[in-house]
Amino acid sequence: MKKSVLLSGAACALTAGPALADMNFNRIASFPVTANFDGAVPEETSAEIIDATADGMVLVYTDSPAGVLGAIDITDPANPQPLGTMAMDGEPTAVSIIGTTAFVGINTSESYTEPSGMVKAIDVTSMTELARCDLGGQPDSTGKAPDGSFIAVAIENERDEDLGEGRVPQMPAGDLVMIDVVDGSLDCGSLIRADLTGLADVAGEDPEPEFVDINGLGETVVTLQENNHIVVVARDGSIVSHFSAGSVDLDGIDATDERGALIFTESQPDRVREPDGVQWIDDTHFAIANEGDMDGGARGMTIFAKDGTELFETGASFEHAIVQIGHYPDRRWDAKGVEPEGIEFGVFDGTPFVFVMAERASVVGVYDVSDPAAPVLKQLLPSGISPEGAVAIPSRGLLATANEYDGLEDGAARAHVMLYEYQEAPAAYPQLTSEGAGELIGWGAISGMVAGEGSTIYAVNDSFYGFQPTIYTIDASTTPARITAATPVTRAGRPAQKLDLEGITLDGAGGFWVASEGRTDRVVPHALYHVSAQGEIQAEIGLPPELMAVERRFGFEGITKVGDTLWMAVQREWADDPEHHAKLVSYNLETEEWGAVLYPKAAPETGWVGLSEISAHGDHVYIVERDNRHGLEAVTKRVYRVPLAEMVPATLDGDDMPTVSKELMRDLLPDLTATGGYVLDKVEGLAILQTGEIFVSTDNDGVEDHSGETMFFSIGTAP
């Protein structure tokens, strides 16, 4: 291997943008929850509900599957440090911190019909228990009074979703508990209960309180999710007001599981909200996140006055904004779309913000609620997988999210806590969006790219969207880059089937050649396709017998055109390849002859290493080589180049296939953590403009066991 060649202009590639003016939230760090365990790490661990000490220096989160409370030192928020965990003698469900005391709701229920639980007071400084109070039921969430005088606990007594089709009523009923905080601990003798039965129109005899928050007047707002109801409770337990959460007419949504196609042409009239998270904006108004459960899910946020007056409803607009940045979770649950669940509020430099966490889309929406009747969506922040809780720390200009999904079993990223800073800087995310297109363009799973004229880049999606193979047109001259058009790949005018598009190149006559990675066990052919500018397949070229005889699942992962020859990168070894070598396969369009050379790829430390893109420029082809690891386990995410002079293919039936040399151009690991996230697995796209500027993109797996985050960035100019 030759020595590395630095790419000019790369140092500023990720920070280029408009002149500094606006304030924005940008992610500055990601903390893997596994880092909080000494020695053996549990098979499943999580970060769910999160809060901070009064000085904003320590984060505390609940880890339900591990049964512990975790703590993180954020004295330097860009470099969070583990403080360890504390066993909770049950399932911790929620935490609220007053000063340096964490009040933790803990579920100890033996069954749905015999619910039980307690709340503990934990000194965060020493991680020792100060007190505990029996709650007489299963706690779901906690809230703290702004003056620190008491806490509220929603006693859900949740239903059995496998019983009676999972519907309420299922007794015993839930209620609301309030307990005084005295000298930084619990006064169990002060416990009072607020009866919430008989209020809701839906199963009023069985209220299931979900989330609570307390305003400056000591009033607790409670969402009854399954009952589609909201209650405001005074400090003495009396009811201030209560009303239905209501419903929304949704238009322009994807409400059907059509197995891999983003089609936003459906409607859901009178969709009940069934809210989960709730936060006061001031003493009169609060916002709810309309997650849905039994019968609904309105896919957005609503703001109410506490007398029940509806001030604002996002409708489908929140979800549409998420669609534009490629985070729509098509296969996760079309019934509830992006599934807003958690919500947080904070005032930063005089501006009040509501933060809405879309659990299924792994996005945090940032709304300016200076006017509660006319909020403005300012940003969408990339999160870990399934954000569950958040805490705003305005005194330090910080926001933290707890992302609950542990992807170990699915080969995905594990749970993380993420930190964001309110900065005088451009928004670092999204890096690719379809905002501004003439129609709503959904996208995801970008798997291959090629540069066109000027700053135009074309990209394809992979088999995740098997019913919607698409060529996207991207304008890379803007920040963020913009998808301006989506061209379906068709046969006889209909979306083509049995494709796994992993590479695209120009044909030199206004059309494209695309490479499809085959899966013989799924009757998906390894093949090349000639596609017109309008997306219609003109010709299909299957692999020759010599290749099919040694075929393995991991096939073509990129395509480029050099003169009359197409070159395809095979992801991993086929049956006849030496260990740690993969083929670069050639096909001559004039002679119809096949050939190949061998490419020496890195030996993996864990998992596997493969090729994921090939692009010709000047006297070289540029190749992306990557492992299949995430986060701290990632080692190989690199761009190499190979001299075209060495790309002399041997025949496929010979024994003397030449091995090319490679030259390191760019280690992408620093780029992949430049926006404060963990290293993403799939670097799959690379395109080189005529100017020599190189753009790289990642594949977000269609938001399946993935955060949905797509990185699209320049690494400078090829020498």
Side-chain angles (χ1 to χ4, degrees):
M1 185 195 312
K2 295 182 181 179
K3 66 179 181 180
S4 171
V5 177
L6 297 178
L7 299 177
S8 61
C12 62
L14 288 177
T15 58
L20 300 186
D22 294 336
M23 298 292 293
N24 287 289
F25 291 91
N26 283 319
R27 186 176 53 196
I28 58 172
S30 297
F31 178 86
V33 173
T34 55
N36 246 340
F37 293 89
D38 290 328
V41 176
E43 290 186 2
E44 184 180 4
T45 185
S46 183
E48 295 175 296
I49 305 302
I50 193 167
D51 205 352
T53 53
D55 62 4
M57 295 297 177
V58 176
L59 296 174
V60 174
Y61 62 88
T62 59
D63 184 338
S64 172
V68 301
L69 198 67
I72 307 170
D73 180 353
I74 58 167
T75 303
D76 177 1
N79 187 28
Q81 296 297 309
L83 290 175
T85 63
M86 178 180 178
M88 287 290 105
D89 304 321
E91 177 197 5
T93 60
V95 61
S96 297
I97 300 179
I98 297 173
T100 59
T101 303
F103 299 92
V104 188
I106 301 167
N107 177 22
T108 59
S109 301
E110 294 183 6
S111 68
Y112 292 105
T113 56
E114 297 182 6
S116 63
M118 58 184 164
V119 59
K120 286 186 178 184
I122 305 294
D123 176 31
V124 174
T125 304
S126 61
M127 292 297 274
T128 57
E129 181 178 328
L130 302 175
R132 65 173 69 185
C133 303
D134 180 77
L135 294 172
Q138 171 251 320
D140 190 68
S141 66
T142 58
K144 58 187 177 185
D147 64 3
S149 61
F150 74 100
I151 63 168
V153 185
I155 307 299
E156 183 180 15
N157 292 343
E158 63 185 351
R159 72 195 193 284
D160 183 349
E161 296 186 20
D162 296 324
L163 179 66
E165 298 182 347
R167 306 193 68 82
V168 290
Q170 290 185 29
M171 309 307 283
D175 56 20
L176 177 71
V177 165
M178 291 176 281
I179 307 173
D180 286 349
V181 174
V182 179
D183 296 329
S185 190
L186 292 162
D187 178 6
C188 298
S190 69
L191 186 152
I192 63 171
R193 296 183 181 277
D195 183 4
L196 305 176
T197 59
L199 303 178
D201 293 332
V202 178
E205 70 273 31
D206 180 25
E208 290 201 12
E210 195 78 25
F211 212 94
V212 295
D213 194 41
I214 305 171
N215 67 10
L217 303 176
E219 297 168 335
T220 302
V221 59
V222 189
T223 56
L224 311 183
Q225 186 170 25
E226 287 76 18
N227 313 89
N228 196 41
H229 210 75
I230 299 168
V231 184
V232 179
V233 181
R235 178 66 183 90
D236 63 3
S238 62
I239 305 300
V240 176
S241 64
H242 71 92
F243 46 90
S244 169
S247 63
V248 184
D249 292 331
L250 296 174
D251 295 305
I253 62 171
D254 184 349
T256 303
D257 183 3
E258 65 294 288
R259 294 176 54 210
L262 300 171
I263 303 171
F264 302 100
T265 58
E266 297 176 278
S267 300
Q268 287 180 335
D270 201 28
R271 186 73 169 173
V272 292
R273 292 185 170 108
E274 294 183 339
D276 189 342
V278 61
Q279 286 282 299
W280 289 99
I281 294 173
D282 53 38
D283 288 343
T284 305
H285 307 97
F286 56 81
I288 58 173
N290 300 315
E291 179 194 22
D293 202 323
M294 298 186 306
D295 300 308
R299 305 184 180 218
M301 173 189 73
T302 311
I303 295 179
F304 282 102
K306 67 183 177 184
D307 64 1
T309 302
E310 181 181 319
L311 276 74
F312 174 78
E313 166 60 48
T314 62
S317 65
F318 178 54
E319 183 164 277
H320 286 179
I322 290 172
V323 168
Q324 291 172 339
I325 65 168
H327 279 252
Y328 185 76
D330 187 63
R331 291 187 190 170
R332 297 189 73 168
W333 197 341
D334 285 333
K336 297 191 286 186
V338 299
E339 206 167 322
E341 180 174 11
I343 201 161
E344 174 64 332
F345 173 77
V347 180
F348 289 77
D349 289 352
T351 301
F353 290 104
V354 164
F355 304 91
V356 184
M357 283 157 281
E359 180 185 15
R360 297 295 182 181
S362 297
V363 164
V364 180
V366 182
Y367 282 89
D368 179 342
V369 291
S370 296
D371 180 355
V376 177
L377 179 60
K378 302 293 289 185
Q379 287 184 262
L380 293 171
L381 304 178
S383 178
I385 306 176
S386 297
E388 176 83 1
V391 56
I393 313 173
S395 62
R396 300 193 65 201
L398 298 174
L399 171 75
T401 62
N403 303 277
E404 67 173 338
Y405 177 78
D406 188 330
L408 177 63
E409 188 173 304
D410 300 313
R414 304 202 69 173
H416 280 74
V417 169
M418 292 189 170
L419 286 118
Y420 310 80
E421 186 175 61
Y422 194 48
Q423 306 171 336
E424 186 179 359
Y429 198 79
Q431 296 181 342
L432 181 63
T433 179
S434 64
E435 182 184 7
E439 59 181 336
L440 182 63
I441 297 177
W443 60 274
I446 297 296
S447 61
M449 302 197 303
V450 66
E453 294 292 325
S455 59
T456 297
I457 290 174
Y458 299 98
V460 289
N461 59 5
D462 67 20
S463 61
F464 184 90
Y465 300 104
F467 284 67
Q468 197 179 45
T470 303
I471 297 172
Y472 298 102
T473 304
I474 299 171
D475 179 1
S477 68
T478 66
T479 302
R482 297 190 181 275
I483 295 175
T484 59
T487 303
V489 177
T490 57
R491 284 192 185 98
R494 295 187 177 185
Q497 304 298 296
K498 298 297 183 180
L499 297 180
D500 183 6
L501 302 182
E502 295 287 352
I504 181 171
T505 193
L506 306 179
D507 70 355
F512 308 95
W513 284 97
V514 296
S516 180
E517 181 179 27
R519 281 289 300 268
T520 300
D521 59 336
R522 297 181 183 177
V523 201
V524 177
H526 295 277
L528 307 176
Y529 296 89
H530 192 200
V531 179
S532 72
Q534 292 73 40
E536 180 72 10
I537 292 176
Q538 306 291 303
E540 176 179 348
I541 301 173
L543 270 60
E546 297 92 333
L547 281 177
M548 291 307 298
V550 295
E551 169 255 359
R552 286 181 176 167
R553 169 187 166 188
F554 300 96
F556 293 160
E557 282 279 332
I559 184 172
T560 194
K561 186 171 181 287
V562 181
D564 293 329
T565 300
L566 298 175
W567 283 96
M568 287 69 63
V570 179
Q571 186 181 71
R572 292 163 61 183
E573 296 94 331
W574 279 15
D576 61 334
D577 293 328
E579 186 179 20
H580 309 315
H581 288 72
K583 289 184 179 73
L584 304 179
V585 174
S586 67
Y587 178 74
N588 189 293
L589 295 168
E590 294 297 320
T591 66
E592 301 182 352
E593 294 177 326
W594 291 86
V597 297
L598 288 173
Y599 176 93
K601 59 189 184 68
E605 295 193 10
T606 58
W608 53 259
V609 171
L611 313 183
S612 60
E613 181 68 292
I614 182 170
S615 183
H617 178 76
D619 296 329
H620 296 82
V621 291
Y622 291 72
I623 292 172
V624 174
E625 189 175 327
R626 69 166 180 91
D627 57 22
N628 65 333
R629 303 288 91 179
H630 304 84
L632 298 176
E633 293 184 350
V635 175
T636 303
K637 314 287 185 188
R638 295 175 176 177
V639 178
Y640 289 94
R641 73 177 184 178
V642 173
L644 279 175
E646 297 183 18
M647 302 280 284
V648 180
T651 59
L652 297 175
D653 55 2
D655 296 326
D656 298 324
M657 191 171 291
T659 299
V660 298
S661 64
K662 66 181 186 180
E663 185 177 27
L664 178 62
M665 299 300 296
R666 181 81 164 192
D667 184 344
L668 297 173
L669 289 177
D671 301 300
L672 295 171
T673 56
T675 57
Y678 54 79
V679 176
L680 299 173
D681 173 12
K682 294 186 176 181
V683 183
E684 295 218 347
L686 185 145
I688 308 175
L689 303 183
Q690 293 170 344
T691 61
E693 187 174 11
I694 303 175
F695 284 87
V696 173
S697 65
T698 61
D699 177 351
N700 74 357
D701 279 335
V703 205
E704 180 82 0
D705 298 328
H706 195 287
S707 68
E709 183 171 351
T710 294
M711 299 190 74
F712 182 97
F713 54 91
S714 169
I715 58 172
T717 303

